[in-house]
Structures are given as structure tokens and as C-alpha cells.
């Protein structure tokens, strides 16, 4: 395609003359923008044709073509045979008739989010924005609206930083199973086909050499991402996994150099999120999916998780986390020098499920009282104390090491700091009003600075009696009761 060639020529021209070249050496120790390290809390949005079947999760587009799977059985029962009704037939049903970007941003702003990351293109290959590279996009089909473009306009009006994610790389193999039986997936999809390329799926998704994409697909991948960057100027691009394949690396380098160079040109520093080892350490910001680090990180990082435990998109019967769980995740991540990117999954009509609206409202109420301990805060010399330990691995959902869902006690504490303020986040309210901070004991090697004052954020009428001894700093309180974490502001001299 001539348009792809023109885009790739532009990439090479920019990278040849600007600061960053298509090699990771020139991108080493990239500066993480202050806006990002201060933001702490963003909203992820999974919304696309996969929202229409609303069954199991956002991988419905792949799993519906796996014979014998729950999705396969559900599809036949609900929509009929695959050859008569395939995944592409969900696209016209994605009406977005209740979608309002302004309403979304108002909700996100009240929840305390500082940046928003809509999925621009998921594994299914359907773009939720305008494009000259394919007709399989939300402007030409389905909603016939520029969903991402509208979100960006509304975000800018609300002071929320507009960002986006791209999950296309997995599209290389996402519809491969549809070629194994009589379905609507062509045996040999052409470039203009929705299901192109439908190549064989790797047996091991983390084998960087198995079923690696070819040049034609990778050039198309790069062109799509560059087109998006040039048109929408996102401040952050989040890449899902599988970009770490060996054949993808040269294209990944070209994109990163071009994007960083564009950030310099725009005068607005940009961020790239990656998973696993797709980027060398220091060239982008690592993201842990449904997980957290188990200690303070010396570098800024991100944890992405979803309001629903079972899915990133809306499904009927989603198993939602509680507001308290999510606030505790936010606190834990920030105490370890990270950001939390919280996902919501709108319904096919563009409305946000009531369960998620309630969660976002609760988070917003908590942040309105305790935001000083989150926004712009940095980690303390220790991240916290207590018995609950976080399991550092993807998809752990913040579980304890023994695999059980974590249950915090009032002895589980996380710390953040801002100047002379140290914030002690009590992850659970004490039944008797007492809180014991062992980190601040005056013992040798303990905490021996002057504590000038202590107050509980959001509880102006609370009474706090302080005892500071060799073993611990004790707060004996009255007038403090909440189902959410309690934050004490400790001002030191």
C-alpha cells in the first residue's frame, strides 16, 4: 500500500534527523515525565465489538472459534453457526447510542483520574478511531463515530491527560482457529479482510521466536501506530504483550524513537508502557498486569487492573471487586513508586455499568479527602508494614503469597511522603481506635525525628492522642470510623 510506504518513509526521515534513533541505546535512561509520575491514577477503557456478546471476557473474538469452548457453544446457541454469523457481524451491532465522551470524562474526573487510556485497537483488529489504512474502524462501521477522538476532546476539556493503548500485535494469530472448520474466517484472508492474517497461534505465547509476524504485517502494525500518533497526539501509548517477538523488535524501536521525537517536537513529554521484557529497562515504563511489586521500586512503574476480576470488557455477570479492594491497591502501588491504571468495561451501547459507576463514585469520595497523600506523593523509606504480603507476578490480582484473597488488618500500613508530610495509610479501620506504627519506633536505627503534628485526613473532628516510644508510634483515636482506608498526615521537622 502506498500510504503505508509514505508513513514508513516519514518515520525513517524523522528518526534520522532527530534526537532518538531506532536503537535502544539512544533511548536509554529516558526521563519519565513529571505529569505521569505525579498523576498516580488513570482510567483504562476496554470498549469494542467484544462488548457486544458480553460473554466471559474480551477474548471472545478468539475463543468463539475454538471448537468445544464455552464461547463456541454459547455462540452457536445464541447467534447461530459461525459461517452465517461470525465475529465481524457484531460490528454493526455496536451502536454506541448511549455513549457520551463528556459524561465519561465527568465521571472519571470525579473519580480522581488524571489520565485516560481507551483501547484504540484490541486483538480483534477493529479500530475505535478514524483511519485511512482500513475501513474496519468505528468511523466507517459500527458506531460510525470517532470514539477515541471524542474521548480525547472531552478529556482535554476536563484536564485529563489523553492516552491510548494498542493491542494489535496479537491479531497476527487471533482468528487462526476459525480456519480449522467451516466458519466465516477465510482459509486465506487477504489484506483487506477483517480477519487478515489469521496465522497459526503459537503454542507458547511467550516464545519470542514462535509464529513471529512477517514483514508485511509488521509494516502495517507500525503504520497504524504512527498514523494514530500523528493524528491524535496521545501523551501515553500502552502496548499489550507479544510485542516482544524477535521479528517485531526493529519496528518497536522505530516506533519508540519516532514517538519520543514527536514528544520533543510537541513540547509535551510522552510515555510508553510495556510488559515483560519488550523494552530494555530504562527505555520505557513497565506495566504489571493485575499485579504489584512486593517492595519499593527505584523506578516509576504501573500496575493495570480491572474493576472486574474475570474480564476487562463488560460481560453479563461480571465479578466485581469492592471499592475498598481497589483503593487498597491504589495505595499499595503508590507506596512502591507506581501508578494504578484502573479499567472499566462499558456496555455495547456505551453506558457504564452501574456497578462500576458505584465503584468510581466511592473512589472519588475517598480521593477527595485523601488526594494529598496520593497525587504528587513519593514513596517513604519503607513502603509499609503488616502481615499481608503481595505476590509479585502477573495476574495475581494482588493476592497474598498463599494464594488466598488478601484480608487487611489495621496493622497493615502503607506510607507515602510529600516534603515534610509523611502519610500513614491504614488499610483497615481499627475496631478500638488504636493504630501502632512500628516503623516510627525510637529504637536504634528507628525514627528519631521531631513529629510536629498528626491529623486524620477527612476527619476534622477526630481526637488523636499520640504516644511515641522506643518500639512504636501509637495513635489512640476517637471519632474515626470508615469502611475505607484511613490516612494520617504526620508532619515532621
Amino acid at each position: 500500500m502506498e500510504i503505508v510506504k509514505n508513513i514508513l518513509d516519514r518515520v525513517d526521515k524523522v528518526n534520522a534527523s532527530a534526537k532518538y534513533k531506532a536503537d535502544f541505546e539512544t533511548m536509554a535512561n529516558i526521563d519519565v515525565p513529571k505529569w505521569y509520575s505525579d498523576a498516580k491514577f488513570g482510567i483504562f477503557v476496554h470498549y469494542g465489538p467484544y462488548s457486544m456478546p458480553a460473554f466471559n471476557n474480551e477474548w471472545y473474538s478468539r475463543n468463539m472459534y475454538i471448537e468445544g469452548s464455552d464461547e463456541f457453544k454459547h455462540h452457536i446457541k445464541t447467534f447461530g453457526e459461525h459461517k452465517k454469523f461470525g465475529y465481524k457481524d457484531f460490528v454493526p451491532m455496536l451502536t454506541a447510542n448511549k455513549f457520551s465522551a463528556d459524561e465519561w470524562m465527568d465521571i472519571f474526573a470525579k473519580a480522581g483520574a488524571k489520565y485516560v487510556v481507551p483501547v484504540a485497537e484490541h486483538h480483534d483488529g477493529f479500530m475505535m478511531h478514524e483511519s485511512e489504512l482500513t475501513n474496519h474502524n468505528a468511523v466507517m462501521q459500527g458506531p460510525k463515530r470517532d470514539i477515541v477522538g471524542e474521548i480525547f476532546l472531552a478529556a482535554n476539556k476536563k484536564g485529563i491527560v489523553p492516552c491510548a493503548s494498542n493491542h494489535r500485535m496479537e491479531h497476527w494469530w487471533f482468528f487462526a482457529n476459525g480456519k480449522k472448520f467451516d466458519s466465516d474466517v477465510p482459509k486465506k484472508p487477504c489484506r483487506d479482510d477483517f480477519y487478515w492474517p489469521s496465522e497459526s497461534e503459537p503454542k507458547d505465547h511467550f516464545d519470542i521466536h514462535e509464529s513471529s509476524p512477517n514483514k508485511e504485517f509488521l509494516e502495517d502494525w507500525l503504520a497504524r501506530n504512527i498514523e494514530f500518533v500523528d493524528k491524535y497526539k496521545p501523551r501515553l501509548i500502552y502496548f499489550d504483550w507479544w510485542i516482544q517477538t524477535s521479528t517485531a523488535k526493529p519496528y518497536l524501536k522505530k516506533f519508540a524513537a519516532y514517538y519520543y521525537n514527536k514528544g520533543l517536537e510537541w513540547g509535551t513529554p510522552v510515555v510508553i508502557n510495556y510488559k515483560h521484557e519488550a523494552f530494555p529497562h530504562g527505555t520505557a515504563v513497565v506495566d504489571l498486569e493485575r499485579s504489584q511489586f512486593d517492595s519499593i521500586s527505584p523506578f516509576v512503574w504501573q500496575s493495570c487492573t480491572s474493576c472486574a476480576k474475570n474480564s476487562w470488557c463488560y460481560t453479563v455477570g461480571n465479578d466485581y471487586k469492592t471499592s475498598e479492594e481497589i483503593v487498597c491497591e491504589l495505595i499499595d502501588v503508590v507506596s512502591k513508586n507506581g501508578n494504578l491504571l484502573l479499567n472499566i468495561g462499558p456496555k455495547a451501547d456505551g453506558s457504564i455499568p452501574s456497578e462500576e459507576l458505584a465503584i468510581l463514585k466511592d473512589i472519588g469520595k475517598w480521593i477527595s479527602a485523601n488526594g494529598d497523600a496520593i497525587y504528587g506523593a513519593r514513596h517513604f523509606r519503607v513502603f509499609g508494614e503488616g502481615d499481608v504480603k503481595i505476590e509479585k507476578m502477573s495476574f495475581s490480582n494482588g493476592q497474598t503469597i498463599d494464594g488466598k484473597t488478601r484480608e487487611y488488618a489495621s496493622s497493615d500500613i502503607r506510607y507515602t511522603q510529600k516534603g515534610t508530610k509523611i502519610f500513614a495509610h491504614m488499610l483497615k479501620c481499627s475496631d478500638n481506635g488504636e493504630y501502632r506504627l512500628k516503623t516510627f519506633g525510637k529504637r536504634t536505627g528507628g525514627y528519631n525525628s521531631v513529629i510536629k503534628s498528626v491529623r486524620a485526613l477527612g476527619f476534622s473532628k477526630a481526637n488523636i492522642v499520640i504516644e511515641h516510644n522506643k518500639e512504636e508510634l501509637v495513635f489512640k483515636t476517637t471519632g474515626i470510623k470508615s469502611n475505607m482506608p484511613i490516612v494520617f498526615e504526620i508532619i515532621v521537622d
Side-chain angles (χ1 to χ4, degrees):
M1 294 176 67
E2 187 65 23
I3 186 172
V4 171
K5 182 181 183 302
N6 291 339
I7 291 174
L8 299 185
D9 287 345
R10 183 165 72 251
V11 170
D12 290 339
K13 184 178 180 180
V14 169
N15 290 347
S17 60
K19 176 179 179 179
Y20 298 106
K21 312 301 179 186
D23 62 68
F24 287 135
E25 285 74 18
T26 61
M27 294 176 249
N29 302 314
I30 198 95
D31 291 330
V32 176
K34 191 174 186 298
W35 74 260
Y36 180 74
S37 56
D38 284 350
K40 302 304 179 186
F41 181 48
I43 296 292
F44 209 177
V45 183
H46 275 67
Y47 179 52
Y50 44 82
S51 305
M52 186 56 228
F55 184 82
N56 267 5
N57 57 52
E58 72 288 350
W59 276 44
Y60 187 92
S61 51
R62 165 189 176 264
N63 297 342
M64 64 175 274
Y65 290 105
I66 298 177
E67 294 180 276
S69 69
D70 289 343
E71 289 86 349
F72 183 91
K73 296 173 184 176
H74 172 82
H75 191 82
I76 291 178
K77 180 180 179 181
T78 311
F79 305 104
E81 295 181 355
H82 296 66
K83 62 182 178 181
K84 296 180 181 178
F85 190 105
Y87 182 73
K88 69 181 186 305
D89 296 301
F90 286 119
V91 172
M93 301 170 72
L94 188 73
T95 62
N97 58 300
K98 293 183 179 180
F99 166 70
S100 169
D102 287 324
E103 288 182 11
W104 280 17
M105 292 313 113
D106 185 55
I107 292 166
F108 299 166
K110 289 177 180 177
K114 297 300 184 182
Y115 59 109
V116 61
V117 186
V119 174
E121 182 178 354
H122 205 256
H123 311 323
D124 61 359
F126 187 77
M127 292 180 170
M128 296 299 290
H129 57 90
E130 188 176 44
S131 174
E132 295 181 22
L133 292 167
T134 177
N135 290 329
H136 303 298
N137 66 70
V139 175
M140 300 295 292
Q141 300 180 33
K144 304 240 176 122
R145 296 169 64 178
D146 187 348
I147 300 296
V148 174
E150 290 182 36
I151 289 173
F152 273 42
L153 287 173
N156 280 319
K157 285 191 292 185
K158 274 290 182 181
I160 298 174
V161 179
C163 313
S165 74
N166 184 282
H167 309 237
R168 179 172 176 77
M169 195 66 80
E170 296 87 341
H171 188 70
W172 171 255
W173 45 262
F174 221 61
F175 291 105
N177 291 293
K179 297 194 294 186
K180 295 179 181 179
F181 65 101
D182 191 12
S183 79
D184 68 321
V185 179
K187 300 300 181 185
K188 293 184 179 180
C190 66
R191 188 184 183 114
D192 293 331
D193 190 87
F194 181 73
Y195 298 114
W196 177 79
S198 301
E199 293 294 335
S200 60
E201 181 172 349
K203 294 179 181 178
D204 181 353
H205 289 159
F206 294 94
D207 186 334
I208 63 172
H209 301 295
E210 186 185 355
S211 188
S212 293
N214 63 21
K215 181 180 178 181
E216 182 182 23
F217 180 81
L218 290 166
E219 286 183 343
D220 179 77
W221 176 89
L222 178 57
R224 286 173 181 240
N225 281 286
I226 296 299
E227 179 194 50
F228 184 83
V229 164
D230 286 344
K231 181 174 178 60
Y232 295 94
K233 296 181 174 59
R235 298 278 292 280
L236 176 150
I237 288 289
Y238 169 113
F239 284 121
D240 202 6
W241 61 288
W242 217 65
I243 56 171
Q244 70 268 23
T245 60
S246 56
T247 56
K249 287 289 184 178
Y251 301 88
L252 200 59
K253 294 174 186 177
K254 285 187 177 184
F255 172 81
Y258 184 87
Y259 185 44
Y260 286 144
N261 285 325
K262 281 294 176 179
L264 293 176
E265 180 184 313
W266 302 332
T268 55
V270 297
V271 180
I272 295 175
N273 288 149
Y274 72 96
K275 297 177 183 177
H276 312 301
E277 304 304 325
F279 281 76
H281 174 70
T283 61
V285 175
V286 70
D287 176 271
L288 301 185
E289 184 170 350
R290 291 190 183 272
S291 186
Q292 293 121 263
F293 279 125
D294 55 4
S295 59
I296 294 173
S297 167
F299 51 86
V300 176
W301 60 287
Q302 180 175 274
S303 170
C304 66
T305 193
S306 186
C307 286
K309 298 177 183 178
N310 57 299
S311 176
W312 292 87
C313 77
Y314 171 74
T315 72
V316 176
N318 261 352
D319 181 13
Y320 290 104
K321 297 179 181 179
T322 65
S323 306
E324 295 90 333
E325 285 180 277
I326 294 171
V327 169
C328 284
E329 286 185 64
L330 171 64
I331 293 168
D332 182 76
V333 167
V334 174
S335 76
K336 296 167 183 174
N337 201 26
N339 286 15
L340 181 70
L341 182 61
L342 177 67
N343 178 75
I344 65 154
K347 295 181 179 181
D349 62 10
S351 63
I352 299 174
S354 59
E355 296 90 344
E356 293 182 340
L357 288 173
I359 289 171
L360 293 175
K361 184 177 180 180
D362 287 345
I363 294 172
K365 183 179 179 181
W366 185 87
I367 284 184
S368 67
N370 300 285
D372 194 34
I374 297 295
Y375 303 130
R378 297 296 183 261
H379 59 82
F380 185 48
R381 66 182 189 181
V382 295
F383 72 84
E385 56 188 85
D387 296 326
V388 174
K389 308 298 181 184
I390 300 300
E391 185 175 13
K392 186 183 71 172
M393 61 180 293
S394 293
F395 302 103
S396 66
N397 267 318
Q399 293 176 326
T400 54
I401 286 177
D402 62 4
K404 296 179 181 178
T405 301
R406 59 187 179 187
E407 294 183 5
Y408 289 117
S410 58
S411 57
D412 288 301
I413 306 168
R414 298 293 182 267
Y415 297 110
T416 59
Q417 183 171 2
K418 186 185 292 181
T420 58
K421 299 176 183 177
I422 301 169
F423 299 99
H425 303 253
M426 309 300 170
L427 299 185
K428 187 174 181 179
C429 186
S430 169
D431 291 333
N432 62 8
E434 287 191 9
Y435 300 90
R436 299 179 178 276
L437 290 65
K438 299 185 183 303
T439 297
F440 286 82
K442 291 182 177 180
R443 61 193 175 282
T444 302
Y447 194 84
N448 294 286
S449 185
V450 175
I451 295 175
K452 296 177 67 175
S453 65
V454 174
R455 71 184 181 103
L457 300 185
F459 294 90
S460 59
K461 296 181 180 181
N463 181 58
I464 306 173
V465 176
I466 303 170
E467 294 180 10
H468 196 187
N469 58 50
K470 186 176 180 180
E471 299 302 323
E472 56 195 1
L473 175 64
V474 182
F475 302 149
K476 295 183 177 181
T477 71
T478 55
I480 298 176
K481 202 66 181 175
S482 176
N483 291 326
M484 301 292 268
I486 307 297
V487 182
F488 288 98
E489 175 196 80
I490 306 168
I491 297 182
V492 300
D493 190 353

